[in-house]
Amino acid sequence: MIIDSHLHVFFSKKQPWRPLVEETLHHMDMAGITQTCLLPDPQWTGTFYPSKDEMMFQAETLSEIASAFPGRFLPMLFICPLLPHDFTLDLMERYMMKGPLVGAKFHVSLYADDDKYEPIYSFLERHDLPLLFHAWYKTVEHYAYESNPSHIAVAARKHPNLRILMAHLTGSKLRGIMDIKKYPNVSIDTSGSQPEEGYVQRALEELGPDRVLYGSDYPIRAFSTQRARIESVEMSKEAREKVLYGNAQRFFRKGTEQ
């Protein structure tokens, strides 16, 4: 069994989701991927700052995909913290607490330690819902308000019961691993750029096998190369099972699903 903890489907109002999802499932089956986290394109509207109507479209589309292919996808709602909090919390209540969406995804709307996230963090923490947060250390091509792992660490310290998956091991590198090391509520996925030798091994050494999750960032990256970064590392059978699916099973659950 393999669960991919970082996968996108680039649907939009102009691009119907079904052909994209069917192609994704074909590639998943070829690669032996049983189930996957499902994320939209952060710029499905052409910007990182969607409107209320666009947020509704996203939530409905993710729900349709989950219903059409039960058991294959773990949909995460992309959330913009700049929208009114009452709207966002109502959307989370409707589509997470009472609907098929599993948790939340944040990208580059604001730094992870910005106070505008606080009501959303508190909602996720209170209801024990998972959060996937993009993070990257960059020297060039840095987006405005793109979080790095030190921002994730601040949020984790303020919300010790908030379950966070920090995306992109290869983008975070050793510095990012060390940023989150002392916060047990933060795990890391193995996606980000092409595989580089040593990072998965170091993440396992510093964080332990319970906090490392396989992720591909498909379709930006191929399943084959991203699986290879796991298969090339020596680890116990138990640790490999945790990285490939066990940790994802624990993370991508709602608080009511014990």
Side-chain angles (χ1 to χ4, degrees), residues 28-168:
M28 285 171 61
D29 292 341
M30 290 178 63
I33 308 296
T34 312
Q35 191 177 39
T36 179
C37 164
L38 176 60
L39 307 168
D41 179 354
Q43 297 185 74
W44 86 93
T45 67
T47 173
F48 293 125
Y49 303 99
S51 66
K52 291 180 180 180
D53 287 344
E54 289 164 338
M55 285 294 295
M56 290 296 300
F57 166 77
Q58 178 212 176
E60 284 293 327
T61 302
L62 291 171
S63 298
E64 288 175 15
I65 296 171
S67 298
F69 300 98
R72 299 307 302 272
F73 295 107
L74 300 160
M76 305 285 278
L77 182 70
F78 170 82
I79 291 176
C80 177
L82 296 177
L83 289 170
H85 287 137
D86 57 349
F87 167 79
T88 298
L89 297 180
D90 181 69
L91 199 69
M92 295 167 69
E93 177 77 24
R94 177 177 174 183
Y95 287 95
M96 294 180 199
M97 299 300 296
K98 299 177 181 178
L101 307 191
V102 174
K105 161 71 187 295
F106 293 131
H107 196 242
V108 298
S109 304
L110 289 172
Y111 293 127
D113 58 355
D114 194 287
D115 287 343
K116 288 186 175 63
Y117 282 112
E118 286 302 308
I120 306 169
Y121 286 157
S122 295
F123 182 97
L124 294 168
E125 190 173 28
R126 183 167 65 253
H127 296 290
D128 192 22
L129 296 168
L131 165 62
L132 194 158
F133 213 127
H134 170 98
W136 206 291
Y137 274 120
K138 291 181 178 178
T139 54
V140 296
E141 298 183 357
H142 186 274
Y143 291 109
Y145 306 113
E146 184 173 16
S147 296
N148 64 49
S150 70
H151 297 119
I152 306 296
V154 173
R157 183 175 68 247
K158 292 170 68 175
H159 296 273
N161 294 315
L162 178 61
R163 291 188 286 123
I164 304 171
L165 179 59
M166 187 174 76
H168 307 314

Side-chain angles (χ1 to χ4, degrees), residues 149-150 152-153 156 166 175-188 207 211:
S150 70
I152 306 296
M166 187 174 76
R175 181 180 176 186
I177 293 170
M178 301 312 293
D179 282 340
I180 65 169
K181 181 176 179 178
K182 64 181 179 180
Y183 303 107
N185 55 322
V186 186
S187 298
I188 193 168
L207 304 178
R211 295 173 62 189

